[in-house]
């Protein structure tokens, strides 16, 4: 019996090592991000029902329909925006303690795509809703209307960070040229955010990219005419993924390139 148990232990160990090996080969480490506890904040909305005014934004995602985020988005107060490191993060919100909340307090999930800047000409409790140190969500109107009546203007909400569930791999939108590469990182799963990024040309080693603004990173290097690989680390979970040969050697600015890896 002892020898049989010993054999089963070896089989389980072998399977575990094999699974880890597959994960490493696929270019990612195991997830460590977990939802956060519920906290109290406030929410307003901007734009109209079409969400046309929410397109673009400080994160640099451009047209939010084309980039996959749609209208379930919000601009964050600077405390949450965190100099752009909050871009791409996902939150669940539900209206609370207001006559304008919908019955049974439905929950909606939004992605952070923009900055709600301070308005120092207004009191923080009367118009300056996004002034530090307030935690505030300025939602796209269609998203706001999922939790409360729009005529409320502003409502208290409970919120928590949640895992971003994305279809497909991380996508990178290129700007710049063969000597300066600027990349916008989109469709990020897991924590939804990026802390650090590196690029590797087919003729170079790994080159550290600096944070530009929002969800964009840049490299001042000669990379034209080379296929490009990227390594990314999540700001929240510290996971690392590697997208090998994400862009072909004839890559060009203005194009978006998809990978087959993502955070989980």
């Amino acid at each position: 019996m002892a020898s049989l148990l010993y054999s089963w232990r070896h089989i389980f160990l072998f399977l575990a090592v094999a699974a880890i090996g597959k994960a490493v080969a696929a270019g990612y480490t195991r997830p460590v991000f977990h939802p956060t506890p519920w906290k109290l904040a406030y929410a307003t909305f901007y734009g109209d029902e079409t969400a046309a005014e929410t397109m673009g934004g400080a994160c640099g995602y451009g047209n939010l329909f084309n980039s996959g985020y749609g209208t379930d988005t919000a601009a964050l107060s600077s405390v949450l925006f965190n100099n752009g490191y909050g871009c791409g993060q996902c939150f669940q919100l539900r209206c609370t303690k207001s006559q304008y909340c919908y019955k049974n307090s439905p929950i909606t999930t939004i992605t952070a795509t923009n900055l709600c800047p301070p308005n120092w000409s207004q009191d923080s409790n009367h118009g300056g809703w996004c002034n530090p140190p307030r935690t505030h969500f300025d939602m796209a109107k269609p998203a706001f209307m999922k939790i409360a009546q729009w005529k409320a203007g502003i409502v208290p909400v409970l919120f928590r960070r949640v895992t971003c569930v994305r279809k497909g791999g991380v996508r990178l939108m290129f700007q710049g040229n063969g000597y300066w590469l600027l990349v916008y990182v989109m469709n990020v799963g897991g924590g939804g955010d990026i802390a650090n990024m590196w690029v590797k040309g087919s003729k170079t080693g790994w080159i550290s990219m600096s944070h530009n603004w929002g969800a964009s990173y840049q490299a001042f290097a000669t990379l034209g005419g080379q296929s490009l690989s990227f390594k990314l680390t999540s700001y929240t979970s510290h996971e690392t993924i590697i997208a090998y040969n994400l862009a072909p050697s004839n890559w060009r600015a203005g194009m978006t390139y998809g990978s087959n890896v993502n955070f989980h």
Side-chain angles (χ1 to χ4, degrees), residues 10-263:
H10 273 72
I11 292 173
F12 287 139
L13 178 61
F14 174 79
L15 292 174
V17 171
I20 292 172
K22 289 181 180 179
V24 172
Y28 63 86
T29 55
R30 295 306 300 164
V32 294
F33 175 76
H34 301 286
T36 62
W38 290 96
K39 296 181 180 179
L40 183 65
Y42 285 86
T44 50
F45 66 87
Y46 67 114
D48 58 19
E49 287 83 353
T50 68
E53 293 182 28
T54 66
M55 296 299 107
C59 291
Y61 295 136
N63 186 304
L64 298 178
F65 292 109
N66 295 340
S67 55
Y69 297 112
T71 60
D72 291 329
T73 63
L76 306 181
S77 60
S78 54
V79 172
L80 292 171
F81 189 74
N82 192 20
N83 293 321
Y85 291 108
C87 287
Q89 293 179 352
C90 297
F91 298 84
Q92 285 184 336
L93 290 88
R94 63 182 181 190
C95 181
T96 184
K97 299 179 180 179
S98 171
Q99 62 177 321
Y100 298 105
C101 297
Y102 289 138
K103 187 178 180 180
N104 298 325
S105 300
I107 296 174
T108 191
T109 302
I110 58 93
T111 300
T113 60
N114 204 354
L115 167 67
C116 180
N119 182 0
W120 300 115
S121 65
Q122 300 289 333
D123 184 88
S124 295
N125 294 311
H126 189 70
W129 309 120
C130 291
N131 294 350
R134 289 181 63 96
T135 302
H136 191 87
F137 297 87
D138 199 17
M139 305 171 69
K141 190 174 182 180
F144 184 91
M145 292 172 65
K146 290 182 178 181
I147 61 171
Q149 300 176 49
W150 66 267
K151 63 182 179 181
I154 182 171
V155 293
V157 293
L158 291 172
F159 79 95
R160 67 174 180 172
R161 283 277 311 281
V162 294
T163 300
C164 294
V165 179
R166 304 295 184 203
K167 294 182 178 180
V170 169
R171 296 200 297 266
L172 306 183
M173 181 172 63
F174 284 22
Q175 296 295 336
N177 51 54
Y179 305 96
W180 170 64
L181 178 64
L182 179 67
V183 174
Y184 291 92
V185 189
M186 303 180 295
N187 200 52
V188 181
D193 46 26
I194 299 297
N196 298 293
M197 190 169 175
W198 297 261
V199 60
K200 182 183 183 301
S202 52
K203 300 177 182 178
T204 75
W206 286 107
I207 300 169
S208 178
M209 303 180 74
S210 59
H211 184 217
N212 185 286
W213 178 251
S216 67
Y217 286 77
Q218 61 188 357
F220 295 91
T222 303
L223 295 169
Q226 301 180 58
S227 58
L228 303 180
S229 300
F230 292 87
K231 181 164 59 175
L232 305 92
T233 299
S234 168
Y235 185 87
T236 299
S237 69
H238 310 297
E239 297 173 73
T240 297
I241 58 174
I242 301 176
Y244 291 104
N245 299 314
L246 178 140
S249 58
N250 62 345
W251 64 265
R252 64 182 190 272
M255 295 295 292
T256 298
Y257 299 93
S259 74
N260 60 358
V261 294
N262 211 332
F263 298 105

